[in-house]
Amino acid sequence: MHVVNANGAAIPALGLGTWTLRGDACADLVASALALGYRHVDTAARYDNEADVGRGLAASDIGRDAVFVTTKVWYTDIAAGKLERAAEASLRRLGLHHVDLLLIHWPNPTIPLKETIGALNAARRGGLTRHVGVSNFPPRLLAEAVALSEAPLVCDQVEYHPYLDQSKLVAACRAADMALVSYCPLFRDGGLFSEPAVRAAAEHHGKTPGQVILRWHVQQAGVVAIPRTTRKERLAENIAVFDFALSEPEMEAITTLTQAGRRLCDHDEFPIDWAAG
Ligand code: 1BO
């Protein structure tokens, strides 16, 4: 498995996203993914599936140290003290002694960032996680978080796909030796799969449109993708993206689709001002 090295963390470049997966189906998909060669599983307290992900991990015969597990603390739980307790609760649900990466899931402007980043570092010092990072942090807030963190942050996990320009954030992550982890990497309604640039590359390489888009992600320095699927047959397809390479013109043709600028995720209570940088 290809890895992205980010401030001391070796993050498998293609992971399994589990947002919206629940119950036995989730546990089963996690175990199947591991059997197929996935070594990176992403969950969050907010997804309400940590126990299911934990069952999937336990059902697999892949050793704990061979799997990179990420979870996230929701914005309601990121004050000092509360964050550590939330991380401990996540570990109990996952059935793990520690995770590999613990993220602040969403910024919360009502809690000082210094306090949140301090609590995140305390969780790391306490052995709850090997590495720390953030999610859904726009460039300016990321710069503040990087400056405040005692342990280097290893990633910013954000929505990223060819319809959404994240070039500023990709550059900021590279400058800080961090990974940008793409969630919703395939967009959502499949419309992206019909784009001529995607279809042409798929035909040329004998790959599916989904594989071309995932390849576009992992071929960018420092970018990790965590596609989610509810279908077992898609698991194998999504991970088979390391045996071909897109040419520079193919990469560029897909990158220009960002002109469409379509974002899928925001949050009502604390919408993020991405335009402010
Ligand atoms: C609001 C959830 C975003 C993806 O983790």
Side-chain angles (χ1 to χ4, degrees):
M1 169 59 74
H2 289 62
V3 299
V4 167
N5 291 301
N7 280 327
I11 311 175
L14 203 292
L16 177 69
T18 65
W19 188 17
T20 75
L21 302 179
R22 299 267 165 79
D24 290 347
C26 174
D28 203 26
L29 274 160
V30 169
S32 301
L34 294 174
L36 284 165
Y38 283 72
R39 294 294 179 266
H40 175 181
V41 179
D42 180 272
T43 180
R46 178 70 172 177
Y47 300 167
D48 197 18
N49 66 6
E50 289 172 311
D52 306 317
V53 168
R55 283 192 295 123
L57 294 171
S60 160
D61 53 11
I62 308 296
R64 167 68 188 93
D65 289 347
V67 187
F68 192 95
V69 180
T70 300
T71 196
K72 316 183 193 79
V73 185
W74 192 234
Y75 71 80
T76 48
D77 295 327
I78 58 176
K82 218 170 177 189
L83 185 147
E84 295 93 312
R85 287 194 294 280
E88 282 163 0
S90 283
L91 292 177
R92 276 195 297 278
R93 288 188 291 269
L94 282 160
L96 299 179
H97 175 258
H98 67 273
V99 285
D100 298 280
L101 181 54
L102 183 67
L103 306 181
I104 303 300
H105 201 156
W106 200 274
N108 183 338
T110 69
I111 299 171
L113 187 60
K114 189 174 180 186
E115 176 179 338
T116 293
I117 296 296
L120 187 65
N121 277 275
R124 180 179 176 272
R125 281 195 307 275
L128 307 181
T129 183
R130 291 173 55 223
H131 302 284
V132 289
V134 295
S135 183
N136 299 298
F137 273 45
R140 210 177 292 175
L141 196 60
L142 176 65
E144 285 177 40
V146 165
L148 287 168
S149 191
E150 162 200 318
L153 301 178
V154 306
C155 86
D156 192 356
Q157 185 184 123
V158 294
E159 177 182 342
Y160 185 33
H161 44 71
Y163 281 154
L164 186 62
D165 181 11
Q166 288 287 25
S167 51
K168 267 192 188 170
L169 207 51
V170 171
C173 286
R174 281 185 193 146
D177 197 24
M178 293 171 60
L180 181 142
V181 179
S182 315
Y183 71 77
C184 297
L186 296 167
F187 195 58
R188 199 175 262 163
D189 63 8
L192 186 54
F193 290 17
S194 318
E195 291 286 353
V198 173
R199 294 186 71 87
E203 225 163 89
H204 179 71
H205 293 281
K207 291 285 182 178
T208 65
Q211 288 172 320
V212 164
I213 296 161
L214 292 174
R215 178 70 207 181
W216 174 84
H217 284 274
V218 301
Q219 202 167 308
Q220 297 172 62
V223 175
V224 170
I226 49 167
R228 174 201 67 108
T229 181
T230 53
R231 291 158 54 185
K232 270 194 193 174
E233 64 277 14
R234 276 282 164 79
L235 288 174
E237 179 186 327
N238 286 349
I239 204 174
V241 297
F242 298 102
D243 58 353
F244 75 110
L246 297 171
S247 66
E248 272 310 307
E250 286 170 332
M251 287 292 288
E252 273 170 37
I254 297 170
T255 300
T256 47
L257 298 174
T258 57
Q259 289 163 5
R262 288 151 76 181
R263 185 178 295 283
L264 294 168
C265 301
D266 210 337
H267 192 268
D268 292 345
E269 192 175 7
F270 296 131
I272 291 167
D273 186 3
W274 288 95

